[in-house]
Amino acid sequence: DRAGSAVFTATLSPTGMPDDDTVRQSMDVLPPPRIQFIGPSNATTGATTRPSGLFADTDVAVLTDAAPDLATLSAIEQFVAGGGGLLIAPGKSLTTAAWNQRFWKSGFGLAPVAAADVAIEKTAWPADVASFALPAGDAIDWTNRPVTRYWRFVPGGGESVIARINNDPLVIERRFGRGRVTTVAVPLDGQWTVGGNPATYRGLIDVLAPRLVDRPIIRNVDVGVPLESVLRLGRDRSVTVTRPDGRADRISLTVVGGQGVFRYTRTDLPGRYTVRGADQPADDWFVRPDPAESNLSLLDDTQLAALLHNTSVDFRASPAAPPRHESSRSIGLIAALGVLLAVEMLITNVYLPRRERA
């Protein structure tokens, strides 16, 4: 329910050994991406014209059926190269020649792939859409949305095809600088689909946009793997790392491109590592224990010898004790009991009255 670092715990129930039956994970919960539509106003997608170059409050820019001028295209390139996300959906307002000249640029432009032509079909159904669609309902189910025409793209290498139509790329992704670009081969306004529901295209944008935002930091690592992230710089350019054993280490940040790079290598103990800075909230990391530590199978002689050698334990058998003569001791004890019984009977015959003995 809130953005930031969160810790999730999963436990088997009923539990046998708590340490083996419990796993803790630290995850970054990201806020919804801030989307800016570039191009003419469109009631289907909710697109509104925004001044070009104003991306301060934007995570993902959406360019749908639009042919931006060179100034706007240059601003978009700078935005994506700096880490922003871009979703491009060509349509009738853009020709394939203009696409290749403005967006592809022989592989040096924003477009993940070059455009060949426009394929015209009676009915064609997208495939593999479920591989990237989130469980958000029927609004984003494109597998039942027939397509009448689409742009035929030519993969050139380096891109990722995450959906196809007639074995041609339908949704393609590629990195551009520090950012990412996703291209859809049909306009996101129902022009080239049958029975297009406006919610379908808006829902598809809502699904694709989070893919274009920087991925959360992986905060769960194995023993010996460094903890690394980029932090916001403040007055105090250092952080404190609290280890599972309670010890606190102070780490100085490395400044790279105006950002603080955090790297901590002393991950020799499994458990929770908490990173605190003066100008930012605390972040939790977890170092996973070695699964071999939970192996309860018996050690053979070779494994035992290796374990003793690695731990410098001198394991020697105790000297044999002299054998004890258990049989002779037992015979002596039985004889002593017999003597005591005979003495008791003799005393009884001497001291008890005759009548009582009878």
Side-chain angles (χ1 to χ4, degrees):
D1 57 348
R2 63 179 179 85
S5 178
V7 175
F8 296 85
T9 304
T11 303
L12 291 178
S13 180
T15 181
M17 300 181 66
D19 290 340
D20 290 344
D21 295 345
T22 302
V23 60
R24 294 176 177 85
Q25 296 279 309
S26 179
M27 303 181 185
D28 283 339
V29 180
L30 301 181
R34 298 165 297 178
I35 301 175
Q36 178 180 156
F37 290 90
I38 302 174
S41 298
N42 189 298
T44 300
T45 61
T48 55
T49 301
R50 297 283 298 274
S52 62
L54 296 181
F55 296 103
D57 58 348
T58 301
D59 298 313
V60 176
V62 178
L63 195 62
T64 175
D65 190 21
D69 55 40
L70 295 180
T72 301
L73 187 59
S74 176
I76 297 173
E77 289 178 345
Q78 294 179 18
F79 164 69
V80 179
L86 175 65
L87 173 61
I88 310 176
K92 62 182 181 181
S93 300
L94 190 67
T95 64
T96 56
W99 172 276
N100 292 331
Q101 182 181 4
R102 293 188 177 187
F103 291 96
W104 174 237
K105 295 182 179 180
S106 300
F108 295 96
L110 286 168
V113 288
D117 54 21
V118 178
I120 301 176
E121 302 284 344
K122 292 184 178 179
T123 52
W125 283 269
D128 301 329
V129 179
S131 63
F132 69 87
L134 298 177
D138 296 335
I140 55 173
D141 183 9
W142 272 35
T143 56
N144 296 321
R145 200 70 63 194
V147 176
T148 58
R149 64 181 61 190
Y150 62 89
W151 279 43
R152 185 178 285 116
F153 290 116
V154 182
E159 73 282 341
S160 298
V161 178
I162 59 177
R164 294 182 177 275
I165 183 168
N166 283 349
N167 206 34
D168 292 322
L170 174 65
V171 181
I172 312 102
E173 290 183 350
R174 196 188 71 172
R175 297 198 66 90
F176 183 84
R178 293 170 52 195
R180 280 182 291 271
V181 180
T182 296
T183 296
V184 183
V186 295
L188 299 177
D189 57 6
Q191 292 182 39
W192 294 348
T193 58
V194 177
N197 181 359
T200 301
Y201 309 102
R202 181 63 199 220
L204 184 62
I205 293 174
D206 291 339
V207 167
L208 293 175
R211 296 178 59 93
L212 296 169
V213 180
D214 286 339
R215 303 292 195 269
I217 301 172
I218 304 301
R219 301 189 183 277
N220 309 280
V221 301
D222 295 325
V223 171
V225 176
L227 313 181
E228 298 178 286
S229 66
V230 177
L231 305 178
R232 184 180 65 254
L233 282 178
R235 294 181 179 179
D236 186 3
R237 298 186 175 184
S238 64
V239 295
T240 300
V241 181
T242 303
R243 295 165 45 87
D245 55 6
R247 190 182 74 184
D249 293 336
R250 195 158 189 83
I251 305 299
S252 298
L253 301 179
T254 302
V255 180
V256 178
Q259 295 180 311
V261 178
F262 161 71
R263 179 179 172 86
Y264 183 76
T265 59
R266 300 175 185 172
T267 56
D268 54 312
L269 292 178
R272 177 186 290 192
Y273 291 72
T274 302
V275 180
R276 290 183 174 87
D279 303 314
Q280 63 182 12
D283 292 326
D284 289 311
W285 300 67
F286 281 94
V287 175
R288 293 183 289 259
D290 187 352
E293 296 181 1
S294 301
N295 185 7
L296 300 181
S297 60
L298 296 178
L299 299 178
D300 56 27
D301 293 341
T302 303
Q303 293 173 326
L304 177 59
L307 177 63
L308 297 177
H309 175 74
N310 294 333
T311 54
S312 300
V313 174
D314 187 9
F315 181 78
R316 298 178 181 178
S318 301
R324 295 184 299 178
H325 302 286
E326 300 292 342
S327 58
S328 60
R329 291 184 180 181
S330 299
I331 295 174
L333 180 61
I334 294 174
L337 290 176
V339 172
L340 290 176
L341 182 61
V343 173
E344 183 181 0
M345 293 179 63
L346 180 61
I347 294 174
T348 300
N349 290 331
V350 173
Y351 290 98
L352 286 180
R354 184 182 300 273
R355 181 179 300 174
E356 222 174 287
R357 288 200 301 270

